[in-house]
Amino acid sequence: MSSRFDIDVAPDEATDARFMTAAISYGRRGLGLTAPNPAVGCVIVRDGVIVARGATMPGGRPHAETEAIREAGERARGATLYVSLEPCSHYGVTAPCADAIVTAGLARVVSALEDPDVRVAGRGHAKIVEAGIGLRTGVGVLEARRGNLGHIMRITEGRPMVTVKLAQTLDGFAAGGAHDPRLMITGAPANGRVQVMRAMHDAIMVGVGTVLADDPLLTVRLPGLANRKPLRIVLDSRLRTPLSSRLVATAGDHGVLVICAEDAPVSAQAALEASGVEVLRVARDASGRLDPLAALKALGKRGITRVLSEGGPTLASELILRGLADEVALFTAPKPFGGQGVPALSAEARRALDGDAKFRLIEEGRVGADRFRHLERVF
């Protein structure tokens, strides 16, 4: 009769790192689909071979661990489970994943990081150890934290994580002059990458200035991703979003949320709501402007964990300077604008990105002819 301890498990660091990378990568496919739950990935390994894998399913359940255990069946007994976030230990809509791991007879669990949710917070790991199952934590912790950052920020700070996306000419402009404001800055490969980024977030956020200038649609336009419909959000303190805009025109099929100030016109709210747009009021900040932190915390209460900001230079600079930009994706075209235009960032925000104190570079390269830099906030 087999037991959970009678097979050859390989606890060496290189093997654990390799399989944890697979678990984290598999979990990333759920980004943008699993809110309010994190997009967790899991693989089960027996005799050095992945025999099952699982990811958090759309809507947040079933969880990754139970999906992998279900796929593995009897092959889970005596095997090693790799998971990108601590298995849950509390009863919610489903039973605890930690209990499922014990019942399945797994010999060993490798977990990337502890879940900050107070309902878990080490209890899942403790259940595993108490059952006599080998446990190793902290493997792949940095990459797992990036994948789970939306969940972590919502739990610890009450807001979703924010990715700021920016496109600029070689000389640093995001738009042209007053009479020719819109620039086609990046090429098709970079634009395709932005579509993938949209698909990996729960919501896309812009300021009303972007709506007035560009009339964006803010949808995911890639083959095979018709099910990806991130909530479209407009920060619009005075409710100036036109009823004729493409966002409002498509609100019945693809959700639109306009966040305004508490003193915005009631008549404008009624007109937007009659067109299928949801309107949410939040406070102004000390300067009298719509408070982006209050807006983000309102989104956190709705269960949103990941927001992609495509709101232009003013919003991008504000998010960066207020410490609300957790990641920044910067696309730079190979050609300068060569004229008077709108800078992609304020000088102060650009200094924050270029220094090492507030942001660090995690990826850079080329996307077609455009240069790409991916930075993350230093916590």
Side-chain angles (χ1 to χ4, degrees):
M1 183 181 202
S2 65
S3 76
R4 63 179 55 146
F5 305 108
D6 65 3
I7 71 164
D8 181 23
V9 292
D12 61 280
E13 293 183 8
T15 297
D16 282 349
R18 179 162 57 93
F19 287 123
M20 182 59 76
T21 296
I24 293 168
S25 297
Y26 195 64
R28 284 176 60 82
R29 66 180 51 199
L31 292 175
L33 290 175
T34 65
N37 288 347
V40 177
C42 176
V43 298
I44 294 176
V45 176
R46 188 181 181 95
D47 298 326
V49 176
I50 294 176
V51 297
R53 58 186 183 175
T56 308
M57 300 302 288
R61 58 185 65 85
H63 292 180
E65 300 94 319
T66 54
E67 283 293 285
I69 290 169
R70 179 189 58 78
E71 183 179 295
E74 281 301 309
R75 293 174 298 177
R77 188 164 298 278
T80 298
L81 180 144
Y82 294 82
V83 63
S84 60
L85 184 68
E86 177 183 9
C88 64
S89 57
H90 62 286
Y91 281 88
V93 176
T94 58
C97 290
D99 289 359
I101 289 169
V102 174
T103 301
L106 284 142
R108 185 168 173 261
V109 170
V110 181
S111 172
L113 74 163
E114 184 176 298
D115 190 339
D117 190 327
V118 294
R119 298 171 298 175
V120 187
R123 294 181 179 86
H125 289 159
K127 275 192 173 186
I128 289 165
V129 172
E130 289 166 3
I133 299 172
L135 174 68
R136 183 178 182 187
T137 61
V139 177
V141 63
L142 293 180
E143 194 61 34
R145 191 178 190 279
R146 291 185 187 115
N148 290 294
L149 186 58
H151 168 71
I152 293 169
M153 295 302 296
R154 180 171 172 266
I155 292 298
T156 60
E157 297 193 17
R159 67 167 179 87
M161 69 85 65
V162 176
T163 302
V164 170
K165 171 260 172 183
L166 285 167
Q168 64 178 2
T169 60
L170 186 61
D171 47 358
F173 292 105
H179 300 294
D180 185 24
R182 188 163 189 178
L183 297 177
M184 300 302 292
I185 296 175
T186 52
N191 295 340
R193 182 154 184 166
V194 172
Q195 294 293 316
V196 173
M197 291 172 61
R198 287 180 177 181
M200 297 173 72
H201 287 77
D202 308 330
I204 304 168
M205 182 172 71
V206 297
V208 68
T210 296
V211 176
L212 295 172
D214 298 340
D215 192 19
L217 194 55
L218 304 179
T219 55
V220 178
R221 298 184 292 276
L222 287 177
L225 293 180
N227 66 326
R228 302 284 179 132
K229 291 188 175 184
L231 179 66
R232 299 173 296 173
I233 300 168
V234 182
L235 301 185
D236 180 4
S237 62
R238 291 181 287 152
L239 291 180
R240 294 185 293 150
T241 300
L243 297 179
S244 60
S245 67
R246 294 199 294 169
L247 287 173
V248 175
T250 56
D253 180 61
H254 189 156
V256 177
L257 171 66
V258 176
I259 301 179
C260 66
E262 293 172 327
D263 58 352
V266 174
S267 59
Q269 176 175 347
L272 286 168
E273 290 176 337
S275 299
V277 174
E278 184 180 357
V279 177
L280 176 66
R281 294 174 181 264
V282 299
R284 293 182 183 271
D285 61 20
S287 68
R289 300 180 61 187
L290 188 70
D291 188 347
L293 178 57
L296 290 172
K297 287 196 171 185
L299 296 177
K301 289 180 180 178
R302 295 168 63 99
I304 292 174
T305 62
R306 293 174 56 84
V307 172
L308 176 65
S309 174
E310 297 190 49
T314 300
L315 179 57
S317 296
E318 184 171 16
L319 291 170
I320 289 168
L321 293 175
R322 292 190 58 167
L324 300 175
D326 302 298
E327 295 185 8
V328 176
L330 181 60
F331 296 86
T332 303
K335 295 181 180 180
F337 175 54
Q340 293 297 315
V342 179
L345 284 173
S346 68
E348 189 178 1
R350 193 173 292 279
R351 284 194 296 270
L353 289 187
D354 291 341
D356 295 331
K358 295 183 178 180
F359 287 89
R360 59 172 164 254
L361 182 68
I362 56 176
E363 181 186 3
E364 67 177 337
R366 295 281 178 181
V367 183
D370 302 305
R371 183 187 176 200
F372 174 70
R373 298 177 71 217
H374 187 184
L375 304 102
E376 66 180 0
R377 182 164 64 95
V378 176
F379 288 90

